Amino acid sequence: MQKKNKFFLDMSEGSDFIPMINLQDDDNDQELVDNIASEIPLLALRNTVLFPKVIIPITVGRSKSTEAIKAALKADKIIGVISQKDQDIEDPVEGDLFQIGTYARIVKQFKMPDGSLTVILKGLSRFNLDKMTMEDPFLRGKISTRPMDEVSDEVEIQALSAAIREKARKIIDLSPHLPKEAAVMLDNVTNDVFLFDFISGNLNIDISQKQGILEIDDPNAKAKAILDHINAELQVLEVKSQIENKVQGDINKQQRDYLLNQQLKTIQEELGQNPSQEELDNLEQRAKDKQWPEAIAKAFHKELKRARRTNPQVAEFSVLMNYLELMLDLPWDTYTKDNFNLKKVQGVLDKDHYGLDEVKKRVLEHLSVLKLKGNMKAPIICLVGPPGVGKTSLGKSISNALNRKFVRVSLGGLHDESEIRGHRKTYIGAMPGRIIQSLKKAGSSNPVFILDEIDKIGKDHRGDPSSALLEVLDPEQNNTFHDNYLDQDYDLSKVLFVATANSLNTIQPALLDRMEIIEIEGYSVEEKIQIAKKHLVAKQLEEHGLDKSDVKISDKVLEFVIQRYTRESGVRSLSRKIAGIMRSIAKRKAFEEAYNISVKKSDIETYLGPTLFDNDMHEDQQIPGVVIGLAWTRVGGDILFIETSKSKGNGKLVLTGNLGDVMKESATTALSYIKANADKLDIDIEKLKELDIHIHVPQGAIPKDGPSAGITMLTALTSLITDKPVKSHLAMTGEITLRGKVLPVGGIKEKILAARRAGVKEVILCKENKKHVDKINKDFIEGMQFHFVDRMEEVLKIALPS
C-alpha cells in the first residue's frame, strides 16, 4: 500500500470512505465478545490494522479469505481480523501473521460487479492468537481475549486526550482534501479509549507502527505513542503549508508586478514616454559614433529597425537588444598602438622572464617586420614545454612589452564546439563564443590572446572544438572568422595568438600544422637559482608581509632546496618551497621569536622537513645487468634504472615494470641483436638458449614507453650475459636497430639536466644528438663528459671497458 501524505487514509483504492467508529459502547457488542468461541475463522489483512469500535470496508479477493467470511456468516458472524507482517505474501501461514488481532463482527456484505466481495467489519475487542488450528481451506485458530489495562492516571489521560484532539483538528484544517465530516466525527467521540482507537485507525503510518499501537495494553502509554505520531505528521503538514503559502505569495507578486508594469506602460504612453524606444534611440546614437565596417553598420541598422517593430513584451525583443548591444560593444576597428621601441620591449621581456631566448627572439622578429612594413599578419605561436616553465605568464609579459591588451582563455577540458563558435541567437540562452566574448572584454582587436592548455581539448557528441579552432588559428582564414551568435565576419588577423601545451601528441595534426611550434625546455639548476633570486623570493616576500631585510637566502641554500626538495623542469614546486620558508619565518617574526635572518642549510630541514630527494642516485658499486637510462616525462627529464636477471630455463624473455609496446619491442630487438652477434660479443649461444632473462624497470605504477631505452636495454643484457659490470656514473639514451645502429631521440636537454641532478658524470648519446647538446649552456653541464656514438659496438666498448 503506497503511503499518502494525509492524516486519514482511504481503505480501498478509489474510495472516499473514512473509517468510522461506533460512538456508543454497545452492550450487545460486549455480550458478543463474552460469548465468542475459543476457536474462530481468521481473516488476514494485507495493508491495514483493525482497531476496536472502528468500522471499515474490506475488499476480499483471496479464496481463503472468502471461505473464512462464509464460515463466519454461517456461525455467529464473528471473525478474527489479524494483520500480515509482509503484505507481499499471498498465502500467509501462522509465522507470517502478528500474534495480536481484533475480533470483528460482519455488519454487511456486498457482491461487486467485478465478482469480488466487499464486507463491512466492525471491530469489537483485541485477542491473542494462541495457536493456528487450520490453514486450509481457510485460516482458523485458537484465540483468547486481551483486555486493556485500567487507566493509571486520570488527569494525565485527560490531558493527553485534549492534546490529541487539538492537534488532530489542526491536521484536518491543514489538509484541504479531508472532508469536513472528519472534524464532526472527532467532536462526537467522547470516550477517550474510543478516541484513541479512532485516531490510531486513521494515522498515516506503517502497518508495523499501527500494530505496535494495537498491542499496547496501558491506555496512558497508548495515548503518548499516538501523540508522538500526530506531532510528526503535524510538523510535515505545517512545513508543507508554509511552502505552499510562499509559492502562492510569489505567484501573486508576479501577477501584481505584471499588472503594475502594464499600467505604468499605459501611463507612459499617455505622457508620450516609451522606455524601450529610448533604449533603441540610445543604441542608434552610439552607432553614429562607432567606427566599424560598412557591412556591419548596415547589418546593425537592419536589426535595429526590426527591434523597433517588435513588441517589447515578447521574448524576441530582449534577444534583439542583447544582440545589438554586443555589436556596439565589440572593438571592430579599434586597435592599440604597438610599442616599437624594440630595446625597451627586449628589456621588459628579460626583466619578466629569465632565459626563454627562442620565444623572445621570435616576438622581436615579428615586431621588427611590423615596424618596417607597417602591416603584417600576426604569427600563431605555440609554446610547448613541461609545467611550470612560464608559458602562460610569458603571454602576459609579451602583452606588457608590446603595450597590447591581454586576454586568456583556458581550453583544458573544453568539449563543446559552441564554446568557440557560439550558439545561434535563436536558441534560448544563446551566447557568443569565447573568442568574441574575450575581444569584447579586451576592448581591442589586436590583443595578445593566450589559448591555454590547447593540448587538453576534449571531444564528444556536441562537436570537436579543435576543429573549430582551425579557422581561428589559420592566418589565411581568420580575417573572416564567423561566430554563430554574431552571424557576421570578424577580423582576427591582427590578434597575436599564443597557444600553450605540455605535449604535441594530443593536438590534431591539422591544427598543429597551423601553428609555429616553439619548444620551451626545462630549467637547469643554475637557471632556477637565477629565477628564484630575481622573481620568486621577491614575490614570496611581498605575499607574506616580509621585507628584504627580514630574510636573506644565498645561492648555496637555493641550490640545496632545488636539489633536495624539488624534482621538476619548471619552478612551481620551488616557489611553494620558498613560500614554506617564508611562512615559517613570518610566524617566528609574528611571535617575536629569534631566527636567523640569513637562512642556512641547517635551517631548511626545520622549515621544510626532511629532504625529499637524494641526488646521488647512481650506484658506485655497479653489478652486472644494471644500467642507468635517461627518460623524458611531462614534468621534465628523469633517470631510470634498467635491471636484468637470469635463471635456468629455455630462453624465455620476461618484461615487467608497466612497459608500453614500443619499449617491449626495444627489449626484443636488443636480445635479437645479441643472439645475432653472439660470436662478436664472446657469448655462448647454446648457454644463452638455456637461460630465462627478466628485464624490469622500477616504479611499476608509472607507465613507460618510447624507443629511447633501446641502447640501455642492450647494454644491460650484454652486461648480464657476460657478467661484466657497467661503468660507474654512466647513463645513456638512444634507439637501436637490428643492425646495431644507434638512432637519435628527443628531450635531450631535459634528460641531461636530470642526469646531472642525479650525479651522473658520463652520458652516451647518438652522434646526431650532438647539435642538441651544443645548444645547452656550457656552465650547466660543466664536469660532464659526453660520448657520441653511431653503432652499438661503440656503446659496449665505453660501457663495458673490462
Side-chain angles (χ1 to χ4, degrees):
M1 177 175 173
Q2 187 176 359
K3 201 170 186 180
K4 302 179 183 177
N5 187 19
K6 62 183 183 177
F7 174 58
F8 292 98
L9 289 175
D10 296 340
M11 290 299 108
S12 59
E13 196 68 24
S15 170
D16 292 328
F17 185 88
I18 297 173
M20 306 287 290
I21 189 167
N22 188 18
L23 300 178
Q24 297 179 356
D25 191 3
D26 194 340
D27 292 337
N28 188 41
D29 288 348
Q30 187 58 43
E31 184 180 344
L32 284 172
V33 172
D34 294 338
N35 295 321
I36 289 175
S38 62
E39 188 175 334
I40 60 172
L42 299 177
L43 175 64
L45 294 187
R46 289 176 187 266
N47 55 8
T48 189
V49 176
L50 177 63
F51 285 83
K53 306 304 178 185
V54 174
I55 301 174
I56 61 172
I58 297 294
T59 300
V60 181
R62 293 183 285 193
S63 60
K64 286 189 177 183
S65 299
T66 304
E67 293 299 324
I69 294 291
K70 289 179 180 179
L73 289 172
K74 288 179 182 178
D76 52 5
K77 296 187 178 180
I78 300 297
I79 191 167
V81 178
I82 195 163
S83 299
Q84 293 182 200
K85 295 177 183 177
D86 184 354
Q87 65 180 22
D88 295 330
I89 295 177
E90 185 65 29
D91 188 10
V93 294
E94 184 175 2
D96 300 323
L97 303 173
F98 291 106
Q99 294 302 300
I100 298 176
T102 305
Y103 297 125
R105 180 165 62 87
I106 301 174
V107 179
K108 200 163 188 178
Q109 66 168 334
F110 303 95
K111 273 282 188 181
M112 306 307 289
D114 61 355
S116 62
L117 178 66
T118 298
V119 294
I120 307 295
L121 300 178
K122 177 185 176 183
L124 300 177
S125 179
R126 300 182 306 157
F127 68 82
N128 290 325
L129 176 60
D130 298 328
K131 183 180 180 183
M132 188 77 72
T133 58
M134 185 171 73
E135 294 183 352
D136 200 52
F138 59 86
L139 300 179
R140 190 177 184 89
K142 282 188 176 183
I143 48 88
S144 58
T145 303
R146 186 185 182 102
M148 289 290 291
D149 294 344
E150 293 295 328
V151 175
S152 57
D153 189 337
E154 287 288 351
V155 175
E156 184 185 45
I157 204 73
Q158 289 176 8
L160 289 168
S161 176
I164 290 172
R165 286 177 189 275
E166 180 186 353
K167 294 185 183 296
R169 287 192 187 95
K170 287 184 180 179
I171 290 175
I172 294 170
D173 292 339
L174 290 172
S175 303
H177 51 270
L178 289 179
K180 299 302 178 185
E181 290 82 353
V184 175
M185 293 170 63
L186 193 64
D187 293 336
N188 289 334
V189 179
T190 57
N191 186 297
D192 291 337
V193 178
F194 292 175
L195 173 69
F196 301 156
D197 287 332
F198 173 60
I199 296 294
S200 300
N202 290 286
L203 281 174
N204 183 18
I205 56 179
D206 294 335
I207 300 301
S208 59
Q209 292 175 308
K210 278 192 178 184
Q211 181 68 26
I213 294 174
L214 178 68
E215 294 178 1
I216 297 175
D217 297 327
D218 181 15
N220 295 64
K222 185 173 187 177
K224 290 176 183 177
I226 294 168
L227 188 59
D228 288 342
H229 289 300
I230 287 182
N231 281 330
E233 181 67 19
L234 184 58
Q235 287 177 0
V236 172
L237 286 171
E238 285 175 344
V239 173
K240 180 182 176 186
S241 178
Q242 290 173 6
I243 294 171
E244 289 176 348
N245 291 336
K246 186 179 183 303
V247 171
Q248 186 63 39
D250 292 343
I251 293 172
N252 292 338
K253 184 179 183 301
Q254 290 175 6
Q255 292 173 343
R256 178 175 173 274
D257 291 347
Y258 174 77
L259 290 173
L260 289 174
N261 284 327
Q262 289 296 105
Q263 291 173 359
L264 181 62
K265 179 186 172 186
T266 305
I267 293 170
Q268 288 173 338
E269 288 176 351
E270 290 294 327
L271 294 174
Q273 300 175 353
N274 190 334
S276 58
Q277 190 64 39
E278 290 178 6
E279 288 184 50
L280 292 171
D281 292 341
N282 183 37
L283 293 176
E284 188 172 18
Q285 184 60 42
R286 286 176 60 192
K288 290 179 181 179
D289 303 329
K290 188 77 175 174
Q291 298 295 322
W292 51 10
E294 183 179 346
I296 303 302
K298 185 178 179 181
F300 174 83
H301 288 292
K302 180 182 176 182
E303 293 296 324
L304 184 64
K305 289 178 182 178
R306 185 178 168 197
R308 291 187 186 279
R309 297 193 303 267
T310 305
N311 185 348
Q313 301 301 318
V314 301
E316 186 182 1
F317 182 77
S318 62
V319 173
L320 285 169
M321 290 296 290
N322 291 336
Y323 178 71
L324 293 171
E325 288 179 358
L326 173 69
M327 293 187 75
L328 288 170
D329 290 340
L330 284 173
W332 292 95
D333 282 338
T334 304
Y335 302 98
T336 55
K337 188 176 181 180
D338 287 332
N339 178 16
F340 288 119
N341 186 341
L342 301 185
K343 291 185 178 179
K344 184 179 178 182
V345 171
Q346 185 170 9
V348 172
L349 292 174
D350 289 339
K351 179 185 174 184
D352 290 348
H353 287 80
Y354 184 85
L356 306 179
D357 297 330
E358 190 70 24
V359 187
K360 296 174 184 176
K361 176 185 172 186
R362 184 64 186 88
V363 172
L364 290 171
E365 286 174 352
H366 171 66
L367 276 180
S368 302
V369 175
L370 201 60
K371 181 178 181 180
L372 296 174
K373 186 182 178 186
N375 184 23
M376 177 188 177
K377 290 181 179 178
I380 313 294
I381 298 172
C382 181
L383 307 179
V384 183
V389 295
K391 300 184 294 298
T392 305
S393 60
L394 183 63
K396 180 69 174 175
S397 179
I398 292 172
S399 71
N400 291 334
L402 300 182
N403 198 25
R404 288 193 183 190
K405 297 293 181 68
F406 175 74
V407 179
R408 174 183 169 273
V409 172
S410 178
L411 301 177
L414 197 72
H415 48 68
D416 191 349
E417 181 188 349
S418 57
E419 291 281 348
I420 305 297
R421 292 186 183 277
H423 309 79
R424 298 192 182 279
K425 62 177 180 288
T426 51
Y427 296 130
I428 296 173
M431 295 173 62
R434 291 205 189 177
I435 304 297
I436 295 298
Q437 286 186 54
S438 298
L439 290 174
K440 172 187 169 182
K441 180 180 176 182
S444 166
S445 286
N446 66 334
V448 174
F449 203 122
I450 299 293
L451 297 171
D452 215 3
E453 311 291 358
I454 198 170
D455 58 326
K456 297 175 181 64
I457 295 178
K459 179 181 179 181
D460 63 9
H461 63 280
R462 286 171 286 189
D464 183 4
S466 61
S467 297
L469 283 173
L470 294 176
E471 180 185 5
V472 176
L473 300 181
D474 190 341
E476 301 301 324
Q477 299 181 41
N478 64 6
N479 61 330
T480 56
F481 172 67
H482 188 87
D483 183 272
N484 291 328
Y485 182 88
L486 184 61
D487 204 23
Q488 300 292 332
D489 290 339
Y490 197 95
D491 186 6
L492 300 178
S493 61
K494 305 293 191 301
V495 178
L496 178 56
F497 285 105
V498 179
T500 71
N502 296 127
S503 172
L504 299 178
N505 297 334
T506 55
I507 302 178
Q508 189 183 125
L511 184 61
L512 200 60
D513 184 59
R514 284 163 166 77
M515 298 187 291
E516 185 175 337
I517 307 300
I518 298 178
E519 292 191 8
I520 301 180
E521 297 168 332
Y523 296 119
S524 66
V525 173
E526 290 77 9
E527 287 175 317
K528 289 181 181 179
I529 292 172
Q530 294 302 318
I531 293 170
K533 286 172 59 179
K534 295 180 180 180
H535 302 284
L536 302 183
V537 173
K539 176 185 174 185
Q540 295 300 337
L541 281 171
E542 182 181 351
E543 289 186 359
H544 291 82
L546 298 171
D547 298 326
K548 290 183 179 179
S549 59
D550 294 326
V551 186
K552 297 186 185 300
I553 305 178
S554 66
D555 291 3
K556 290 291 183 183
V557 173
L558 286 173
E559 182 179 358
F560 180 74
V561 173
I562 291 166
Q563 292 184 336
R564 296 303 177 94
Y565 287 90
T566 66
R567 183 72 83 232
E568 58 176 350
S569 291
V571 291
R572 279 206 186 111
S573 182
L574 175 60
S575 180
R576 286 193 290 269
K577 297 303 177 185
I578 294 174
I581 295 172
M582 299 302 176
R583 283 195 302 272
S584 297
I585 293 174
K587 178 186 172 186
R588 284 164 171 76
K589 183 179 178 182
F591 278 86
E592 298 181 356
E593 298 175 359
Y595 68 93
N596 291 325
I597 294 176
S598 295
V599 180
K600 301 177 181 177
K601 286 184 181 181
S602 57
D603 299 326
I604 297 299
E605 287 202 20
T606 306
Y607 296 149
L608 301 179
T611 57
L612 302 178
F613 303 101
D614 182 6
N615 284 349
D616 298 324
M617 293 179 66
H618 61 79
E619 297 180 15
D620 292 329
Q621 299 298 324
Q622 291 284 72
I623 60 173
V626 179
V627 184
I628 300 175
L630 299 177
W632 181 91
T633 69
R634 289 199 173 196
V635 294
D638 201 356
I639 71 166
L640 52 83
F641 289 92
I642 306 294
E643 301 177 348
T644 59
S645 69
K646 59 184 177 180
S647 58
K648 289 185 179 181
N650 53 8
K652 185 169 64 173
L653 176 64
V654 179
L655 303 170
T656 57
N658 204 348
L659 310 183
D661 291 339
V662 177
M663 208 164 179
K664 290 177 180 177
E665 289 171 2
S666 296
T668 306
T669 304
L671 186 59
S672 296
Y673 173 84
I674 291 172
K675 290 177 179 179
N677 296 272
D679 293 339
K680 293 182 183 178
L681 300 174
D682 195 20
I683 294 172
D684 188 342
I685 192 67
E686 295 301 323
K687 288 185 178 180
L688 184 59
K689 291 179 182 179
E690 297 174 356
L691 296 177
D692 282 348
I693 296 176
H694 186 169
I695 300 178
H696 177 69
V697 183
Q699 296 181 320
I702 303 173
K704 310 168 191 72
D705 205 1
S708 61
I711 65 171
T712 315
M713 288 186 169
L714 200 153
T715 304
L717 289 172
T718 307
S719 169
L720 175 75
I721 297 168
T722 60
D723 286 323
K724 295 179 181 179
V726 177
K727 189 176 182 180
S728 180
H729 299 82
L730 173 71
M732 59 188 72
T733 182
E735 184 180 354
I736 57 167
T737 68
L738 274 176
R739 295 171 295 156
K741 186 172 177 58
V742 179
L743 302 180
V745 292
I748 294 300
K749 181 181 178 182
E750 283 85 356
K751 291 178 179 179
I752 290 175
L753 294 179
R756 191 185 182 199
R757 285 196 299 265
V760 171
K761 297 177 181 178
E762 295 182 57
V763 179
I764 300 177
L765 297 166
C766 175
K767 280 184 179 178
E768 292 184 35
N769 284 130
K770 186 177 186 301
K771 57 188 176 184
H772 301 110
V773 177
D774 292 340
K775 288 183 180 181
I776 303 173
N777 191 320
K778 301 301 180 185
D779 295 335
F780 300 163
I781 53 178
E782 185 179 357
M784 296 184 72
Q785 183 180 357
F786 296 93
H787 304 278
F788 300 101
V789 299
D790 187 49
R791 295 199 55 81
M792 200 58 222
E793 292 89 338
E794 300 173 63
V795 176
L796 296 177
K797 187 176 181 181
I798 298 167
L800 306 174
S802 58

